[in-house]
Amino acid sequence: MSEIRGFPGWKMTNVDDGPEEDSKVEAVGPDQLVLLPVRATVLFPGMIVPIAIGRERSIAAAQQAAQEGLPLGIVMQRDDQIAEPSAEDLHSVGTVASILRYVTTPDGAHNLVCQGQQRFRILEFVQEAPFMSAHVNWIEERDAQSPEVEARFIHLKQQVSEVLELLPHAPPELVTALQALTSPSALADLAAAHLDLKPEEKQEILETIDLIRRMDKVTQLLAERIEVLRLTVEIGRQTKAALDQRQKEAVLREQMAAIQRQLGEDNGGGSELESLRDAISKAGMPSEIEEKATKELRRLQRMPEASPEHSMVRTYLDHLIELPWSMPEEPPIDLAEARRILDADHFGLEKIKQRIMEYLAVRKLAPQGKAPVLCFVGPPGVGKTSLGKSIARAMGRKFVRVSLGGVHNEAEIRGHRRTYIGALPGNIIQALQKAGARNCVMMLDEIDKLGGGIHGDPSAALLEVLDPEQNDTFRDSYLAVPFDLSRVVFITTANQLESIPGPLRDRLEVISLSGYTEDEKLQIAKRYLLQRQLEANGLTNEQISIDDDALRTIIRDYTREAGVRNLEREIGNVLRHAAVRIAEGTASTVEIKTSAIARILGPARFESEVAQRTSVPGVATGLAWTPVGGDILFIEATRTPGRGKLILTGQLGDVMRESAQAALSLVKSRANQLGIDEGLFENSDIHIHVPAGATPKDGPSAGVAMLTALVSLLTGRTARGDTAMTGEISLRGLVLPVGGIKEKVVAAARAGITRVLLPARNRKDFEEIPEGARKQLEFVWLENGDQAVAAALTGRYTLIAKAQGDDPDTA
Ligand SMILES: Nc1ncnc2c1ncn2[C@@H]1O[C@H](COP(=O)(O)OP(=O)(O)OP(=O)(O)O)[C@@H](O)[C@H]1O
Ligand SMILES: [Mg+2]
């Protein structure tokens, strides 16, 4: 047994000693403690707290303890709402306390001042009335002197000093008390008692008897507290600094104004605000917008220059001022000059130039009228953008481009609200600022690449821009004032019509550019591209010449495109090669001939595949339509021993697969007429493949080519290498019309084909086929499959066919 701290003469009883039985309930022995349940208060050993008591049992307990000179067991209720707690409503660990003072005020209130002495644990309740008492186990704390404890003690002490430094009104006696402390457990309790914690958290620390764990808990809570305090102090400091700075500026500004007044320079202009005011009045804004701008300016005047809001308003005003509000003088369009400009900039494109001239004529006759929006549709590099530039030149207007490719967000078109950080006007308004003219020609490039996103539909915003009924009051979210777009000449471009959102497409007047034939490319190269590249590389006509055959070689073997963009690049490469020789002084003039091309550009990149591929039976040349213009494609059929299966590969869509099946059925039903051994179908599998295998393909228009490939395979007759074909085929052998004839035919001409087989019912499309392609090609119009086979196949039977015929499997 050892003496209880703070209670001389009191001895500790161990539980094992057994409680001393006492018949008298009121008499409380040394191991029995009078309990005082309290709400939301945790008393730590060593701390002094005032406790107000009101409950009858509490008063009885306090009086009993005071009269007998006994300590009180202060223990917290689990739930502070309970008015009359019973045994199970109390925590099991509390603090034994001595009563320093017991005060009864005249109005009958009882108050205690208690000092915590030592932790105890309740073992067993003895009675609940008239006051609570229980057998308890005193919890003795030894300040074990281990290095772990020592280290934590030093750290904790530092933390506490730090908190005290950060607290603005730390009581000085606390600082002294802290310095004097030598007991780690007392330090942990002191810190926990003064920390700003919930009662439950304090109770948890009280119940943590193990010293190291208790110190760790307190350390962690203190660390969090210090972080918060530091931030609070920092914020306070910054706010004060900003305030000081602003006050200082205000004083300086006042002084400056006073000095200016003294010097008579009060309204000497020069100031930023003056020049803004000046700019607003000169911008030519409509009066209500000018009023709004002036209002913003007044707001700006009242703001301290350093505030973020100041620069926001300032930027807003700059944007407003920069917009081309006033309408420039519009000279009438000179149609003859316009025609001259179109011809000077572009070769060929007769029909398109004609459409543009009509458009310009309408504009000339009704300058205020609501003109349609032109849309140039076609593969890359065919001159869509450059036609737009020519139109601007022909009309004497400024030209700006807005790229819509990858625009997913309505705000990119219409701008972000000003409340957004870093908000800007949308790209329509920005383009206008760039053009600096309200009647500019604005080219909206790639409207087919407009994305739909989660942040509003950009195509809806674009509809508003293009709609002549509402675009005279276009409202950009950033500017938040209407701007008149009705005088802007909008021109749009797209690679394909299909992916333009429907409502948008309805507003557009579509002009299709299909791509150039080899002859046209040659002319464009000679007249435009060569000249441009010479200039770009600092060369002259006299220094370098390049003959037609060389150009043709570049077109045929080094490019494969509908437009002329790569052609221009390759010409540039050839010229630069020659330029080096001239610059080195090894030659003063260079003539470039076909033979030199391979040396300069490397081996041919594209060769006439057609002749090579169709040299075996089972391959037919089809014509495909793709978003970047037409192209040729090969249908390959082959036969292996099997049981009559049809295998289809090359990423074919459902429609294309069905069309292959129909072609095969047709061949089977005509086997006799076509001279095919019917037995072949039963003991072989047929495999149709359409390279390039990785590109998805679909549509019915390869039907004729599939038929041709199958008949070629099964008869052993090769398909003609100079011929390409398109057309859907019905199960009964009729050739049905298909789309994209113009693009397909142009592609055939480009690939060096000289003969195309087309559905007779597509004759109406012949008109659209460009002159150049018409001249190069022979056209065969098909009514049915028999005609197709007759026109597509050669009379040649190849060795392979014979070999196949001799195949024992197929006998
Ligand atoms: N008929 C032509 N006559 C003269 N030059 C042409 C002709 N067609 C195209 N070009 C030239 O080819 C180049 C590519 O044309 P442009 O940039 O207008 O192509 P685009 O159709 O806008 O292509 P994209 O769809 O990739 O934007 C330009 O330098 C243009 O001047
Ligand atoms: Mg373009």
Side-chain angles (χ1 to χ4, degrees), residues 754-775:
T754 55
R755 194 159 161 273
V756 284
L757 315 186
L758 305 174
R761 282 163 67 185
N762 276 113
R763 267 214 174 89
K764 58 177 185 343
D765 298 315
F766 186 68
E767 282 292 286
E768 288 203 6
I769 296 171
E771 191 61 37
R774 278 198 239 173
K775 270 195 218 140

Side-chain angles (χ1 to χ4, degrees), residues 345-347 349 378-387 445 495 516 524 528-529 532 564-565 568:
D345 293 350
H346 294 93
F347 170 81
L349 302 175
V382 292
K384 299 183 294 296
T385 305
S386 75
L387 277 171
D445 252 338
N495 286 137
Y516 302 111
I524 295 173
Y528 300 88
L529 310 181
R532 252 204 319 253
V564 292
R565 190 164 291 140
E568 180 163 0

Side-chain angles (χ1 to χ4, degrees), residues 619-687:
V619 181
T621 312
L623 289 172
W625 181 90
T626 73
V628 291
D631 204 353
I632 58 166
L633 90 180
F634 296 99
I635 311 280
E636 298 175 344
T638 179
R639 187 169 62 87
T640 54
R643 298 217 190 103
K645 254 198 304 181
L646 175 63
I647 304 160
L648 299 167
T649 54
Q651 289 231 39
L652 314 185
D654 287 344
V655 179
M656 201 154 176
R657 304 179 80 90
E658 283 169 10
S659 140
Q661 255 144 10
L664 181 60
S665 299
L666 180 63
V667 175
K668 282 182 184 171
S669 68
R670 295 291 174 95
N672 255 335
Q673 286 109 300
L674 293 166
I676 299 168
D677 173 7
E678 282 181 65
L680 281 184
F681 296 113
E682 272 138 52
N683 44 35
S684 44
D685 288 343
I686 289 176
H687 183 165

Side-chain angles (χ1 to χ4, degrees), residues 313-386:
V313 175
R314 172 75 222 239
T315 314
Y316 175 73
L317 281 174
D318 285 343
H319 276 297
L320 269 191
I321 292 166
E322 226 178 285
L323 265 178
W325 295 97
S326 56
M327 185 65 186
E329 187 85 7
E330 242 177 45
I333 300 171
D334 178 345
L335 287 180
E337 174 68 4
R339 175 76 220 200
R340 200 195 58 71
I341 289 172
L342 282 179
D343 283 338
D345 293 350
H346 294 93
F347 170 81
L349 302 175
E350 243 346 282
K351 262 183 141 174
I352 285 145
K353 287 179 189 164
Q354 194 53 41
R355 289 277 290 280
I356 294 174
M357 287 308 295
E358 286 164 17
Y359 172 85
L360 292 178
V362 171
R363 281 241 160 209
K364 180 184 166 87
L365 293 178
Q368 310 294 326
K370 303 196 185 309
V373 176
L374 295 182
C375 177
F376 292 124
V377 179
V382 292
K384 299 183 294 296
T385 305
S386 75

